[in-house]
Coordinates of all heavy atoms in Angstrom, one line a residue:
G1 N -79.8 -151.8 10.1 CA -81.0 -152.4 10.5 C -81.8 -151.5 11.4 O -83.0 -151.7 11.6
S2 N -81.2 -150.4 12.0 CA -81.9 -149.6 12.9 C -81.3 -148.2 12.9 O -80.2 -148.0 12.4 CB -81.9 -150.2 14.3 OG -80.6 -150.3 14.8
V3 N -82.0 -147.3 13.6 CA -81.4 -146.0 13.9 C -81.7 -145.8 15.4 O -82.8 -146.0 15.9 CB -82.1 -144.8 13.0 CG1 -83.6 -144.7 13.2 CG2 -81.4 -143.5 13.3
E4 N -80.6 -145.4 16.1 CA -80.7 -145.2 17.5 C -80.8 -143.7 17.7 O -79.9 -142.9 17.2 CB -79.5 -145.8 18.3 CG -79.6 -147.2 18.6 CD -79.7 -148.1 17.4 OE1 -78.9 -148.0 16.4 OE2 -80.6 -149.0 17.3
I5 N -81.8 -143.2 18.4 CA -81.9 -141.8 18.7 C -81.6 -141.7 20.2 O -82.2 -142.4 21.1 CB -83.4 -141.3 18.5 CG1 -83.8 -141.6 17.0 CG2 -83.5 -139.8 18.8 CD1 -83.0 -140.9 16.0
T6 N -80.7 -140.8 20.6 CA -80.3 -140.6 22.0 C -80.4 -139.1 22.3 O -79.8 -138.3 21.6 CB -78.9 -141.1 22.2 OG1 -78.8 -142.5 21.7 CG2 -78.5 -141.1 23.7
L7 N -81.0 -138.8 23.4 CA -81.0 -137.5 24.0 C -80.1 -137.5 25.2 O -80.3 -138.3 26.1 CB -82.4 -137.0 24.3 CG -82.5 -135.7 25.1 CD1 -82.1 -134.5 24.1 CD2 -83.9 -135.4 25.6
V8 N -79.1 -136.6 25.2 CA -78.2 -136.5 26.4 C -78.3 -135.1 26.9 O -78.3 -134.1 26.2 CB -76.7 -136.8 25.9 CG1 -75.8 -136.6 27.1 CG2 -76.6 -138.2 25.3
K9 N -78.5 -135.1 28.3 CA -78.6 -133.8 29.0 C -77.5 -133.8 30.1 O -77.5 -134.7 30.9 CB -80.0 -133.6 29.6 CG -81.0 -133.1 28.7 CD -82.3 -132.7 29.5 CE -83.3 -132.0 28.7 NZ -84.5 -131.7 29.4
N10 N -76.7 -132.8 30.0 CA -75.6 -132.7 31.0 C -74.9 -134.0 31.3 O -74.6 -134.4 32.4 CB -76.1 -132.1 32.3 CG -76.7 -130.7 32.0 OD1 -76.2 -129.9 31.3 ND2 -77.8 -130.4 32.7
G11 N -74.5 -134.7 30.2 CA -73.7 -135.9 30.3 C -74.5 -137.2 30.6 O -73.9 -138.3 30.5
E12 N -75.8 -137.1 30.8 CA -76.6 -138.3 31.1 C -77.6 -138.6 30.0 O -78.2 -137.6 29.5 CB -77.4 -138.0 32.5 CG -76.5 -137.8 33.7 CD -75.7 -139.0 34.0 OE1 -76.2 -140.2 33.9 OE2 -74.5 -138.9 34.5
I13 N -77.8 -139.8 29.7 CA -78.8 -140.2 28.7 C -80.2 -140.0 29.4 O -80.5 -140.6 30.4 CB -78.6 -141.6 28.3 CG1 -77.3 -141.8 27.5 CG2 -79.8 -142.1 27.4 CD1 -77.0 -143.2 27.1
E14 N -81.0 -139.1 28.7 CA -82.3 -138.9 29.2 C -83.3 -139.8 28.5 O -84.4 -140.1 29.0 CB -82.7 -137.4 28.9 CG -82.0 -136.4 29.8 CD -82.5 -136.4 31.2 OE1 -83.7 -136.4 31.4 OE2 -81.6 -136.5 32.1
F15 N -83.0 -140.1 27.2 CA -84.0 -140.8 26.4 C -83.1 -141.6 25.3 O -82.2 -141.0 24.7 CB -84.9 -139.8 25.7 CG -85.9 -140.5 24.7 CD1 -87.1 -141.0 25.2 CD2 -85.6 -140.5 23.4 CE1 -88.0 -141.6 24.3 CE2 -86.5 -141.1 22.5 CZ -87.7 -141.7 23.0
A16 N -83.5 -142.8 25.1 CA -82.9 -143.6 24.0 C -83.9 -144.5 23.4 O -84.7 -145.1 24.1 CB -81.7 -144.4 24.6
E17 N -83.9 -144.5 22.1 CA -84.9 -145.4 21.4 C -84.2 -145.9 20.2 O -83.5 -145.3 19.5 CB -86.1 -144.5 21.0 CG -87.2 -145.3 20.3 CD -88.0 -146.1 21.2 OE1 -88.1 -145.8 22.4 OE2 -88.6 -147.1 20.7
S18 N -84.5 -147.2 19.9 CA -84.0 -147.9 18.7 C -85.2 -148.1 17.8 O -86.2 -148.7 18.2 CB -83.4 -149.2 19.1 OG -82.9 -149.9 17.9
L19 N -85.1 -147.5 16.6 CA -86.1 -147.6 15.6 C -85.7 -148.6 14.5 O -84.6 -148.5 14.0 CB -86.4 -146.3 15.0 CG -86.7 -145.1 15.9 CD1 -86.9 -143.8 15.2 CD2 -88.0 -145.4 16.7
R20 N -86.6 -149.5 14.2 CA -86.2 -150.6 13.2 C -86.4 -150.0 11.8 O -87.3 -150.4 11.0 CB -87.1 -151.8 13.4 CG -86.9 -152.5 14.7 CD -87.9 -153.5 15.0 NE -88.1 -154.4 14.0 CZ -87.6 -155.7 14.0 NH1 -86.9 -156.1 15.0 NH2 -87.9 -156.5 13.0
M21 N -85.5 -149.0 11.4 CA -85.6 -148.4 10.1 C -84.2 -148.0 9.6 O -84.0 -146.9 9.2 CB -86.6 -147.2 10.1 CG -86.4 -146.1 11.1 SD -87.6 -144.9 11.1 CE -87.5 -144.2 9.5
G22 N -83.3 -149.0 9.6 CA -82.0 -148.8 9.1 C -82.0 -148.8 7.6 O -83.0 -149.2 6.9
T23 N -80.9 -148.5 6.9 CA -80.8 -148.3 5.5 C -81.1 -149.7 4.8 O -81.8 -149.7 3.8 CB -79.5 -147.8 5.1 OG1 -78.4 -148.6 5.6 CG2 -79.3 -146.3 5.6
V24 N -80.4 -150.7 5.2 CA -80.6 -152.0 4.5 C -82.0 -152.6 4.7 O -82.6 -153.1 3.8 CB -79.5 -153.0 5.0 CG1 -79.7 -154.4 4.4 CG2 -78.1 -152.5 4.7
R25 N -82.5 -152.4 5.9 CA -83.8 -152.9 6.2 C -84.9 -152.2 5.3 O -85.7 -152.8 4.8 CB -84.2 -152.7 7.7 CG -85.6 -153.3 8.1 CD -85.9 -152.9 9.5 NE -85.0 -153.3 10.5 CZ -85.0 -154.4 11.2 NH1 -85.9 -155.3 10.9 NH2 -84.1 -154.6 12.1
L26 N -84.7 -150.9 5.2 CA -85.7 -150.1 4.4 C -85.6 -150.5 2.9 O -86.6 -150.5 2.2 CB -85.5 -148.6 4.6 CG -85.9 -148.1 6.0 CD1 -85.6 -146.6 6.2 CD2 -87.3 -148.4 6.4
L27 N -84.3 -150.7 2.4 CA -84.2 -151.1 1.0 C -84.8 -152.5 0.8 O -85.4 -152.7 -0.3 CB -82.7 -151.2 0.7 CG -82.0 -149.8 0.5 CD1 -80.5 -150.0 0.4 CD2 -82.6 -149.1 -0.7
Q28 N -84.8 -153.3 1.8 CA -85.5 -154.6 1.6 C -87.0 -154.5 1.6 O -87.7 -155.1 0.9 CB -85.1 -155.6 2.7 CG -83.6 -156.1 2.6 CD -83.5 -157.0 1.4 OE1 -83.1 -156.6 0.4 NE2 -83.8 -158.3 1.6
M29 N -87.5 -153.6 2.5 CA -88.9 -153.4 2.6 C -89.5 -152.6 1.4 O -90.6 -152.8 1.1 CB -89.2 -152.6 3.9 CG -89.0 -153.4 5.2 SD -89.1 -152.3 6.7 CE -90.8 -151.8 6.6
F30 N -88.7 -151.7 0.9 CA -89.2 -150.8 -0.1 C -88.3 -150.7 -1.3 O -87.6 -149.7 -1.5 CB -89.4 -149.4 0.4 CG -90.4 -149.3 1.5 CD1 -90.0 -149.3 2.9 CD2 -91.8 -149.2 1.3 CE1 -90.9 -149.2 3.9 CE2 -92.7 -149.1 2.3 CZ -92.3 -149.2 3.6
P31 N -88.2 -151.8 -2.2 CA -87.4 -151.7 -3.4 C -87.9 -150.5 -4.2 O -89.1 -150.2 -4.2 CB -87.7 -153.0 -4.1 CG -88.5 -153.9 -3.1 CD -89.0 -153.0 -2.1
H32 N -86.9 -149.9 -4.9 CA -87.3 -148.6 -5.5 C -88.1 -148.8 -6.8 O -87.7 -149.4 -7.8 CB -86.0 -147.8 -5.9 CG -86.3 -146.5 -6.4 ND1 -86.5 -146.2 -7.7 CD2 -86.6 -145.3 -5.7 CE1 -86.8 -144.9 -7.9 NE2 -86.9 -144.4 -6.7
T33 N -89.3 -148.3 -6.7 CA -90.2 -148.1 -7.9 C -91.0 -146.9 -7.5 O -91.1 -146.6 -6.3 CB -91.2 -149.3 -8.1 OG1 -92.1 -149.4 -7.0 CG2 -90.5 -150.7 -8.2
P34 N -91.6 -146.2 -8.5 CA -92.3 -145.0 -8.1 C -93.5 -145.3 -7.1 O -93.7 -144.5 -6.2 CB -92.9 -144.5 -9.5 CG -91.9 -145.0 -10.5 CD -91.4 -146.4 -9.9
R35 N -94.2 -146.4 -7.3 CA -95.3 -146.7 -6.3 C -94.7 -147.0 -4.9 O -95.2 -146.6 -3.9 CB -96.1 -147.9 -6.8 CG -97.3 -148.2 -6.0 CD -98.1 -149.4 -6.6 NE -97.5 -150.7 -6.3 CZ -97.6 -151.4 -5.2 NH1 -98.3 -150.9 -4.2 NH2 -97.0 -152.5 -5.1
R36 N -93.6 -147.8 -4.9 CA -93.0 -148.1 -3.6 C -92.4 -146.9 -2.9 O -92.4 -146.8 -1.7 CB -92.0 -149.2 -3.7 CG -92.5 -150.5 -4.2 CD -93.4 -151.2 -3.3 NE -92.6 -151.7 -2.2 CZ -93.2 -152.3 -1.1 NH1 -94.5 -152.4 -1.0 NH2 -92.4 -152.8 -0.2
E37 N -91.9 -145.9 -3.7 CA -91.4 -144.7 -3.2 C -92.5 -143.9 -2.4 O -92.3 -143.4 -1.3 CB -90.8 -143.8 -4.2 CG -90.1 -142.6 -3.7 CD -89.4 -141.8 -4.8 OE1 -88.9 -142.4 -5.8 OE2 -89.3 -140.6 -4.6
S38 N -93.7 -143.9 -3.0 CA -94.8 -143.2 -2.4 C -95.2 -143.9 -1.1 O -95.5 -143.3 -0.1 CB -96.0 -143.2 -3.4 OG -97.1 -142.7 -2.8
E39 N -95.3 -145.3 -1.2 CA -95.6 -146.0 0.0 C -94.6 -145.8 1.1 O -94.9 -145.6 2.3 CB -95.6 -147.5 -0.3 CG -96.8 -148.0 -1.2 CD -96.7 -149.4 -1.6 OE1 -95.7 -150.1 -1.2 OE2 -97.6 -149.9 -2.3
F40 N -93.3 -145.7 0.7 CA -92.3 -145.5 1.7 C -92.4 -144.1 2.4 O -92.4 -144.0 3.6 CB -90.9 -145.6 1.1 CG -89.8 -145.1 2.0 CD1 -89.4 -145.8 3.1 CD2 -89.2 -143.8 1.8 CE1 -88.4 -145.4 3.9 CE2 -88.3 -143.4 2.7 CZ -87.8 -144.1 3.8
R41 N -92.7 -143.1 1.6 CA -92.9 -141.8 2.1 C -94.0 -141.7 3.1 O -93.9 -141.2 4.2 CB -93.1 -140.7 1.0 CG -91.9 -140.4 0.2 CD -92.3 -139.5 -0.9 NE -91.2 -139.4 -1.9 CZ -90.3 -138.4 -1.8 NH1 -90.3 -137.5 -0.9 NH2 -89.3 -138.4 -2.8
T42 N -95.1 -142.4 2.8 CA -96.3 -142.4 3.7 C -95.9 -143.1 5.0 O -96.2 -142.7 6.1 CB -97.5 -143.1 3.0 OG1 -97.8 -142.4 1.8 CG2 -98.7 -143.2 3.9
W43 N -95.3 -144.3 4.8 CA -94.9 -145.1 6.0 C -93.9 -144.3 6.9 O -94.1 -144.2 8.1 CB -94.3 -146.4 5.5 CG -93.7 -147.2 6.6 CD1 -94.4 -148.1 7.4 CD2 -92.4 -147.3 7.1 NE1 -93.6 -148.7 8.3 CE2 -92.3 -148.2 8.2 CE3 -91.2 -146.6 6.7 CZ2 -91.1 -148.4 8.8 CZ3 -90.0 -146.8 7.4 CH2 -90.0 -147.8 8.5
A44 N -92.9 -143.7 6.3 CA -91.8 -143.0 7.0 C -92.4 -141.8 7.8 O -92.1 -141.6 8.9 CB -90.7 -142.5 6.1
K45 N -93.3 -141.1 7.1 CA -93.9 -139.9 7.8 C -94.7 -140.4 9.0 O -94.7 -139.7 10.0 CB -94.8 -139.1 6.8 CG -94.1 -138.3 5.8 CD -95.0 -137.6 4.9 CE -94.3 -136.7 3.9 NZ -95.1 -136.0 2.9
S46 N -95.5 -141.4 8.8 CA -96.3 -141.9 10.0 C -95.4 -142.4 11.1 O -95.6 -142.1 12.3 CB -97.1 -143.1 9.5 OG -97.8 -143.7 10.6
Y47 N -94.3 -143.1 10.8 CA -93.4 -143.6 11.8 C -92.7 -142.5 12.5 O -92.6 -142.4 13.7 CB -92.3 -144.5 11.1 CG -91.7 -145.5 11.9 CD1 -92.1 -146.8 12.0 CD2 -90.5 -145.2 12.7 CE1 -91.5 -147.8 12.7 CE2 -89.9 -146.2 13.4 CZ -90.4 -147.5 13.4 OH -89.8 -148.4 14.2

């Protein structure tokens, strides 16, 4: 459902963000068709 991005500097978390773009969520949002694939690419690049 999500991807967590974490930046650690010298053992301490400097930045952490949870993005609502996990594999199952994206498959639900963008079922595979050529048109949906193009929409997904546009959406993912923007995100």
Side-chain angles (χ1 to χ4, degrees):
S2 62
V3 59
E4 277 63 48
I5 307 293
T6 309
L7 174 67
V8 177
K9 278 189 172 178
N10 299 322
E12 298 293 324
I13 295 176
E14 291 286 314
F15 177 86
E17 182 76 27
S18 181
L19 307 174
R20 295 169 53 100
M21 54 185 297
T23 56
V24 177
R25 185 186 304 270
L26 293 177
L27 287 171
Q28 289 291 95
M29 290 172 63
F30 298 96
H32 188 267
T33 66
R35 186 177 75 83
R36 296 296 283 176
E37 184 174 333
S38 174
E39 290 174 0
F40 170 75
R41 288 177 192 266
T42 301
W43 175 85
K45 284 179 180 180
S46 173
Y47 204 95

